[in-house]
Amino acid sequence: MKVNAFFVADHAEAINGKLYVTGGCWDRIFAPVIPAIHNHLSIVFSITVPWTATNEKHQLEIVLEDADGASLLPSEIKGEFEVGRPPGWRPGDDATMVGVFNINGLKFEKAGRHAFVLKIDGQDVARTGLDVQQVPVATMTG
């Protein structure tokens, strides 16, 4: 399978085979304090499923790892998918599958490099980095 896109967005939806994305493809969170809670983000993906992999079940999983490889998601993002062959398809035609997972209240215990990892059938197929940086709040004196 080929990954066409895998990224973080402010918000996204997958409807009728199309992606609707607001504020996509960012890789940094600036937080005044650590631990930090990010209110909402979306993990977006598009996968090309070859003809030979259609009409069979596949496992999909997304994990968020910190720099030490520890998983940070409060609950698992995993499931099963199957892409069928619609009428009129010719042997060899590929299918595109899109998906979005929305995450609310994601807590980052420490600053540093993190990565969302997309796994299909147990294999890492895509990775997108996410830096969490502590930035002091500016104060005004006068």
Side-chain angles (χ1 to χ4, degrees), residues 38-49:
H38 194 74
N39 290 334
H40 178 84
L41 60 82
S42 298
I43 308 302
V44 182
F45 62 90
S46 171
I47 302 167
T48 297
V49 180

Side-chain angles (χ1 to χ4, degrees), residues 26-141:
W26 49 268
D27 65 355
R28 284 179 209 292
I29 294 174
F30 298 102
V33 296
I34 302 291
I37 295 179
H38 194 74
N39 290 334
H40 178 84
L41 60 82
S42 298
I43 308 302
V44 182
F45 62 90
S46 171
I47 302 167
T48 297
V49 180
W51 172 270
T52 56
T54 58
N55 290 343
E56 55 186 56
K57 293 184 185 323
H58 299 280
Q59 302 300 313
L60 181 136
E61 180 178 10
I62 294 176
V63 298
L64 174 60
E65 299 175 345
D66 65 13
D68 299 323
S71 178
L72 300 179
L73 294 175
S75 58
E76 293 181 330
I77 298 177
K78 62 175 21 178
E80 190 173 79
F81 71 92
E82 181 175 347
V83 176
R85 297 175 185 159
W89 260 26
R90 298 172 311 259
D93 284 349
D94 295 334
T96 299
M97 183 184 88
V98 298
V100 172
F101 289 98
N102 291 300
I103 303 172
N104 295 318
L106 184 56
K107 186 173 185 179
F108 294 91
E109 294 289 346
K110 56 186 175 180
R113 194 69 175 160
H114 299 74
F116 281 102
V117 181
L118 174 62
K119 299 179 181 200
I120 297 177
D121 296 332
Q123 300 294 315
D124 292 8
V125 294
R127 176 178 291 265
T128 186
L130 181 63
D131 245 354
V132 177
Q133 299 177 357
Q134 184 171 0
V135 178
V137 176
T139 59
M140 296 181 69
T141 59

